[in-house]
Amino acid sequence: TVPIGRQVKNLKLKISESKINKRINVKIFDSSVCPRYTARLIDNIKVADSPKWMQDRLKLVGFRPINNIVDVTNYVMLETGQPLHAFDYNKIDDGKMSIRLAKKGESIITLDGKNRLVDDNSIVIEDDKKIFDLAGIMGGANSEVDKNSKTIIIQAAIFDKKLIRATSKKLNHTTDPSYRYERGVDPEGTIQALEIAANFILKDCPSGKSL
């Protein structure tokens, strides 16, 4: 384990990769909106409680433990400063992830159950059927990892900090990821954060496979 407060930037991990008969197709419509997008696909997971030591450490800094996947994303964000997000792969149509600016009048129900009306300063991620993520601020309820999730996508990305701030202010909704994005996130940290997160998840789900 990596205790909170320890420097992890130069930590080297070797994650065994496997062939997974599933793919994601990421499309970025404007690289200035999302200059870097990194993701891992992890299959054959079992969603359960996270280890007690992780729950205890998250509680110490005010986070409510949720499950072994979401807790890892929060824990690694606290360690590295890089926000992470987990999606249920099977709730995303054909693995398509299109990152774009929203259109005025569009909306998304976020993980807190609220219907958020977005505008053309908001960054969203969609498939061919729906918007499923309010990027850099909060995930959508329609791609949430739950007890039935078997395959997940872990995201580590860089989003335009001015756009994140504009959306956060418009919605009057600040989250831990938006707080960090507004102040700038190290673009070189996405891969390292994903490696750490995948390592935790695969240790907790020994039959899991990562790509």
Side-chain angles (χ1 to χ4, degrees):
T1 64
V2 184
I4 290 176
R6 178 176 167 184
Q7 176 60 258
V8 297
K9 189 169 184 179
N10 297 318
L11 180 65
K12 295 186 181 299
L13 298 170
K14 183 173 178 57
I15 307 297
S16 60
E17 297 183 352
S18 308
K19 288 186 177 180
I20 299 175
N21 191 28
K22 296 171 184 175
R23 292 290 182 269
I24 56 175
N25 181 11
V26 178
K27 184 175 182 180
I28 301 172
F29 283 84
D30 185 343
S31 60
S32 68
V33 168
C34 178
R36 185 163 196 176
Y37 191 88
T38 315
R40 265 191 179 274
L41 190 61
I42 303 179
D43 197 20
N44 201 28
I45 63 154
K46 182 178 180 181
V47 177
D49 291 338
S50 58
K52 186 178 182 303
W53 68 263
M54 183 175 287
Q55 293 188 42
D56 290 344
R57 291 177 186 181
L58 288 172
K59 289 175 184 176
L60 283 174
V61 288
F63 279 73
R64 177 175 63 90
I66 297 174
N67 59 49
N68 55 339
I69 306 302
V70 176
D71 291 356
V72 162
T73 65
N74 285 330
Y75 185 83
V76 175
M77 177 182 68
L78 292 168
E79 281 292 344
T80 65
Q82 170 64 55
L84 300 174
H85 186 65
F87 304 93
D88 185 323
Y89 174 86
N90 292 314
K91 294 178 182 177
I92 298 173
D93 185 51
D94 203 27
K96 293 182 178 178
M97 307 182 74
S98 296
I99 303 162
R100 63 168 175 85
L101 286 175
K103 300 170 186 174
K104 200 168 184 179
E106 289 184 317
S107 63
I108 177 175
I109 297 176
T110 46
L111 287 167
D112 56 4
K114 295 184 178 180
N115 188 36
R116 308 276 182 184
L117 188 65
V118 295
D119 63 15
D120 54 9
N121 280 318
S122 305
I123 308 169
V124 296
I125 306 180
E126 66 176 359
D127 55 26
D128 286 341
K129 297 179 179 179
K130 63 188 177 299
I131 294 172
F132 59 83
D133 187 54
L134 182 54
I137 296 179
M138 183 173 280
N142 55 6
S143 60
E144 180 180 10
V145 173
D146 58 34
K147 64 181 181 180
N148 298 313
S149 300
K150 300 299 180 187
T151 306
I152 58 170
I153 299 167
I154 301 287
Q155 161 195 289
I158 303 298
F159 298 113
D160 183 283
K161 63 182 180 181
K162 292 181 180 179
L163 294 173
I164 298 298
R165 178 170 174 76
T167 298
S168 178
K169 288 189 71 174
K170 177 185 182 297
L171 297 175
N172 192 27
H173 185 54
T174 299
T175 62
D176 286 278
S178 73
Y179 181 89
R180 286 165 171 78
Y181 277 125
E182 287 177 30
R183 286 153 180 79
V185 175
D186 180 5
E188 300 300 318
T190 59
I191 294 176
Q192 179 74 49
L194 276 183
E195 294 290 284
I196 296 169
N199 185 59
F200 278 129
I201 292 169
L202 291 174
K203 280 185 176 179
D204 194 48
C205 305
S207 61
K209 296 186 291 184
S210 175
L211 177 65

